[in-house]
Amino acid sequence: MPEPAELAQARVNISDRQTVGVGMPISVTFPRPVSAADRKAVESWLRVQTSSGTSGAWSWVKDRNLLDGQRVDFRPNSAYWQPGTKVTLRVGSHGVRQFTIGRSLVATVDAKTHTMTVRTGGTTKSIPVTTGAPGTDTWNGTMVVMDKASKVRMDSRTVGLGDAYNGDYYWAVHLTTSGTYVHQNPHADTAAGHSNVTHGCVGLATDGTAKRFYDQVIVGDVIKVTGSNKDPVATGNGYGDWNLTWKQWIEQSAAGETKTA
């Protein structure tokens, strides 16, 4: 089928030669919605090749800040990418992106036991945390590190929480578009491991715990939250792609599953 004109203005979330974590989907966005009639052609011209022969599929995701049809993501049909996989994306005739899947890091936050279990490189470490207090609970489900910054200005008014907080927070690992982070929080010095006191973020102590975690993670690493009294994070609120079953993922694909060898 002819190459869709929409690909000329497509934007890709992963930089050329970047190394990302095992949870990072390929996400392509467009300045205007792609019609349902054109979506199969767009998927077919967004060609993914991998060194591991990964099977996967594109799926149209309703991004929190975009209209339906402006975002399409690719993820494997298994749980995450295989570490070390070399991935090539061809955006039709409009460019090539090559990137690498790094080591696996999956951090599981248990809101009931106030702990985060970090599994990476064959090692497991448990870290005390504090999560969202009742009424401002942390999202359940699987999230993916979007970006990180050593200092982030956080203003509760921007997320509808009035004057609850307004200040700089350090060692901030960004998980959702709606404003969920894993970050240093002075309240964690006493609450971590014992109680949940935050406004929805995952708080780490100021004794070096937060910085060590910050230094360890890369974009694309996986953060899973269990035991919270809140729904799983929406697919388009950051990279919530893994909260869908493979059947649900394929239902939003126009071209279906593909082998990337």
Side-chain angles (χ1 to χ4, degrees), residues 213-238:
F213 182 72
Y214 175 92
D215 288 342
Q216 186 178 19
V217 299
I218 63 173
V219 170
D221 283 342
V222 177
I223 313 292
K224 298 171 64 175
V225 176
T226 64
S228 177
N229 295 318
K230 196 167 185 176
D231 293 336
V233 66
T235 312
N237 186 4

Side-chain angles (χ1 to χ4, degrees), residues 84-190:
T85 298
K86 305 292 186 182
V87 184
T88 300
L89 170 68
R90 289 179 170 82
V91 187
S93 62
H94 299 283
V96 177
R97 297 286 178 91
Q98 295 179 315
F99 60 95
T100 301
I101 308 300
R103 82 289 176 268
S104 174
L105 185 149
V106 178
T108 302
V109 175
D110 188 329
K112 292 190 182 301
T113 63
H114 322 294
T115 59
M116 177 169 66
T117 303
V118 183
R119 294 182 172 86
T120 183
T123 64
T124 300
K125 183 176 182 180
S126 182
I127 300 173
V129 301
T130 179
T131 66
T136 56
D137 303 86
T138 304
W139 291 109
N140 260 317
T142 301
M143 292 164 262
V144 174
V145 175
M146 302 168 61
D147 55 65
K148 65 178 190 175
S150 59
K151 182 174 74 172
V152 172
R153 187 75 175 184
M154 297 187 185
D155 183 347
S156 55
R157 293 171 298 180
T158 65
V159 291
L161 293 176
D163 295 326
Y165 57 87
N166 186 355
D168 293 329
Y169 289 84
Y170 296 89
W171 314 122
V173 177
H174 193 190
L175 302 182
T176 69
T177 309
S178 62
T180 307
Y181 286 80
V182 180
H183 64 79
Q184 181 173 283
N185 187 331
H187 295 297
D189 292 349
T190 53

Side-chain angles (χ1 to χ4, degrees), residues 3-11 30-31 91 94:
E3 181 176 357
E6 290 92 339
L7 294 182
Q9 294 181 289
R11 300 183 64 180
F30 305 91
V91 187
H94 299 283

